[in-house]
Amino acid sequence: MASGAKYFILNREDDWKYKSMIKDVIFEEDMMLSNNKSGENGVYISSSFDTLQNETIWHRMRLNYDLPNDSLLRLRLYTSDSKTVRIPAPDGKGLMESDIDKYILNDDIDINRKIDIFDYIGAKKYENPTDILMFNLKGRYLWICMELISYSRKQVKVKDVKIEFPKVTFTDYLPEIYKEHDGKDSFLERFLGIFQSIYVDLEDRIDNTPINFDPEMTSKDFLIWISRWLSIKDAFIWGEDRLKVLLKQVTNIYKSKGTKQSVSRIVEEFVGVEPIVVEQFDVKNNQNYEIQKNHIEGLFGDNGYVFTVILDEKYVKSPEDYIEILRIINTVKPIDSICNLVVLNDKIYLDHHCYIGINSYIAKNYEFVIDEGRKDSNTLMLVDVNSKTLKTKK
């Protein structure tokens, strides 16, 4: 592998916060974001990254971030074999020796002064970098100072940073004659570094290909791609977390596609509860089917191509939810069948879907009378002994 053999990576909230000084930034999904509500620049200053080897020549830094218009990411890098530096004394009288890590982590020192110290000790400065060859940085320790500047108060999002070491270049694989004139800023080394970066990035993508097919590890964009590959229609309505769960189960669901079990499982994955699925086979085997045929067919359909899915209203909160669930059911149901999706609420409608223990309960005896005082003769009243009433419609 033609890249640094070792690396540090910052891609979690704990990584950013570990032994560092941060100001006016927030964290979302392990990304570091400038806090646009404060109106101040976000700042991240790390303590030392230690290679455990003096005179280490650093290899490469890769930064992955989203930068809105009118925004700037200003980066300073400093390396040394020692943590001790000579900096101006706080009282402005002369210089003093100070441990950089202790200085950075000292809450009593203004953070802007800490940024200025990086300029004083000769840190390398970059603006909006995405890929840096660090061949001119040498030392056991590395410090990072990053400013997230947004003039329009839009958030700068830093997703991850990878720092590779020690230096490994394509010239290491060439004959000695190509190294005779190598210096600190070798043209050949820097020229080949362009192609080396392209090669290494492609190599990393190939090495990480298995991760892309792991629903728990892959990105949201790749989740959508896998969903299309597996013929999951309307993947966008699932949301990222539910889609990850579905992708793990989709093979087993598709094995039973077109059956009652597949409909039940895919609805359960979407809403989080197993629905009641009633087929015509279940209906016609009811011992009261012939007696109550008209009512039963009105509820569950009158032909073998209709099946009914029953859900509690708390899982179908809007017409949009209703449509989404129907679309999901349509992906696994038999192509020539019709789904009758029924949403149960806490009201009892005679001649409609009413089930003891699901949306109706037997509690205690009530007197059942017609409310003669109302002109609406379809309204019935349940009157208890305490004159409390429960309304139901016929």
Side-chain angles (χ1 to χ4, degrees):
M1 181 176 175
S3 66
K6 305 174 184 177
Y7 61 86
F8 297 107
I9 190 164
L10 306 173
N11 61 358
R12 298 180 303 173
E13 182 176 345
D14 291 342
D15 297 334
W16 295 109
K17 290 182 176 180
Y18 180 71
K19 291 186 178 179
S20 64
M21 175 61 66
I22 56 177
K23 180 185 177 185
D24 292 312
V25 298
I26 58 176
F27 295 91
E28 290 181 5
E29 299 178 351
D30 290 324
M31 293 187 296
M32 183 172 68
L33 291 74
S34 58
N35 185 6
N36 58 344
K37 293 182 180 179
S38 69
E40 300 291 333
N41 297 334
V43 179
Y44 164 78
I45 303 178
S46 74
S47 58
S48 57
F49 291 92
D50 187 0
T51 66
L52 304 178
Q53 180 67 48
N54 284 345
E55 298 186 349
T56 296
I57 300 178
W58 295 78
H59 179 72
R60 185 184 181 194
M61 175 182 282
R62 285 181 270 184
L63 302 95
N64 181 16
Y65 56 87
D66 290 336
L67 195 67
N69 294 331
D70 300 322
S71 300
L72 176 68
L73 189 148
R74 184 175 292 142
L75 178 70
R76 295 173 175 86
L77 301 177
Y78 177 71
T79 55
S80 176
D81 284 329
S82 171
K83 292 186 179 183
T84 303
V85 292
R86 292 181 62 82
I87 58 176
D91 57 6
K93 298 179 180 179
L95 300 176
M96 68 174 188
E97 286 192 350
S98 177
D99 182 292
I100 304 180
D101 283 348
K102 292 181 180 179
Y103 190 86
I104 288 171
L105 300 176
N106 188 342
D107 293 330
D108 296 330
I109 301 175
D110 181 74
I111 198 162
N112 292 311
R113 181 174 175 81
K114 296 174 184 179
I115 296 173
D116 293 339
I117 289 298
F118 273 85
D119 293 329
Y120 182 83
I121 60 180
K124 299 291 183 181
K125 186 184 294 186
Y126 308 86
E127 290 190 354
N128 299 340
T130 56
D131 197 333
I132 304 171
L133 290 177
M134 305 169 68
F135 299 164
N136 57 349
L137 295 173
K138 182 178 180 180
R140 171 177 172 173
Y141 303 104
L142 168 71
W143 289 267
I144 298 174
C145 175
M146 187 184 302
E147 291 182 86
L148 311 179
I149 304 169
S150 178
Y151 301 106
S152 59
R153 293 195 178 185
K154 294 180 180 179
Q155 287 184 315
V156 179
K157 300 179 181 180
V158 183
K159 300 176 181 178
D160 57 77
V161 174
K162 186 175 183 181
I163 311 152
E164 300 172 9
F165 68 95
K167 181 182 77 171
V168 178
T169 69
F170 277 171
T171 56
D172 296 334
Y173 302 94
L174 298 178
E176 285 296 324
I177 189 172
Y178 293 99
K179 303 179 185 179
E180 289 181 357
H181 302 289
D182 267 6
K184 182 178 179 180
D185 296 314
S186 166
F187 170 78
L188 179 61
E189 197 173 69
R190 288 183 287 113
F191 178 72
L192 292 180
I194 299 171
F195 303 98
Q196 180 177 339
S197 297
I198 297 172
Y199 172 84
V200 170
D201 289 346
L202 181 59
E203 189 178 50
D204 286 347
R205 290 181 64 182
I206 294 171
D207 290 342
N208 292 327
T209 295
I211 296 176
N212 290 332
F213 290 92
D214 183 347
E216 289 295 338
M217 301 292 291
T218 192
S219 65
K220 184 177 181 180
D221 290 340
F222 214 80
L223 275 176
I224 300 298
W225 185 87
I226 296 174
S227 301
R228 292 171 182 167
W229 191 45
L230 294 174
S231 192
I232 298 175
K233 297 180 181 179
D234 303 318
F236 64 92
I237 69 178
W238 282 83
E240 188 172 349
D241 293 335
R242 288 188 298 187
L243 189 56
K244 288 179 179 180
V245 176
L246 175 66
L247 287 173
K248 296 177 183 178
Q249 304 293 333
V250 71
T251 303
N252 293 328
I253 292 174
Y254 280 172
K255 284 181 180 178
S256 57
K257 187 174 182 179
T259 67
K260 177 179 179 178
Q261 289 73 23
S262 65
V263 171
S264 179
R265 288 193 63 179
I266 201 165
V267 173
E268 183 178 4
E269 295 296 345
F270 187 75
V271 302
V273 67
E274 184 178 358
I276 299 172
V277 182
V278 181
E279 297 179 286
Q280 287 293 310
F281 176 82
D282 303 316
V283 172
K284 292 184 178 180
N285 277 349
N286 189 301
Q287 61 182 353
N288 297 318
Y289 177 74
E290 293 299 332
I291 301 173
Q292 300 178 347
K293 183 176 180 180
N294 291 336
H295 290 299
I296 292 176
E297 288 183 350
L299 296 175
F300 299 103
D302 58 358
N303 65 77
Y305 296 101
V306 178
F307 66 95
T308 302
V309 177
I310 303 174
L311 279 171
D312 190 286
E313 67 174 350
K314 65 183 178 182
Y315 302 108
V316 190
K317 299 177 181 179
S318 67
E320 290 76 17
D321 290 343
Y322 188 94
I323 293 171
E324 288 177 355
I325 294 172
L326 268 182
R327 292 170 73 172
I328 289 167
I329 293 172
N330 288 337
T331 62
V332 295
K333 73 175 183 65
I335 193 169
D336 55 351
S337 64
I338 300 171
C339 175
N340 175 30
L341 178 58
V342 175
V343 181
L344 298 181
N345 55 34
D346 57 358
K347 298 178 178 65
I348 301 172
Y349 296 91
L350 300 184
D351 290 341
H352 288 72
H353 290 273
C354 175
Y355 305 98
I356 296 294
I358 299 178
N359 66 335
S360 63
Y361 303 88
I362 298 176
K364 60 182 179 179
N365 294 330
Y366 292 94
E367 295 180 13
F368 185 62
V369 298
I370 296 178
D371 184 5
E372 298 177 351
R374 292 180 60 91
K375 294 181 180 180
D376 183 2
S377 60
N378 291 325
T379 300
L380 303 179
M381 305 293 292
L382 292 179
V383 185
D384 67 10
V385 293
N386 297 318
S387 297
K388 296 179 180 179
T389 60
L390 298 174
K391 296 183 180 180
T392 183
K393 294 182 180 179
K394 183 177 180 181

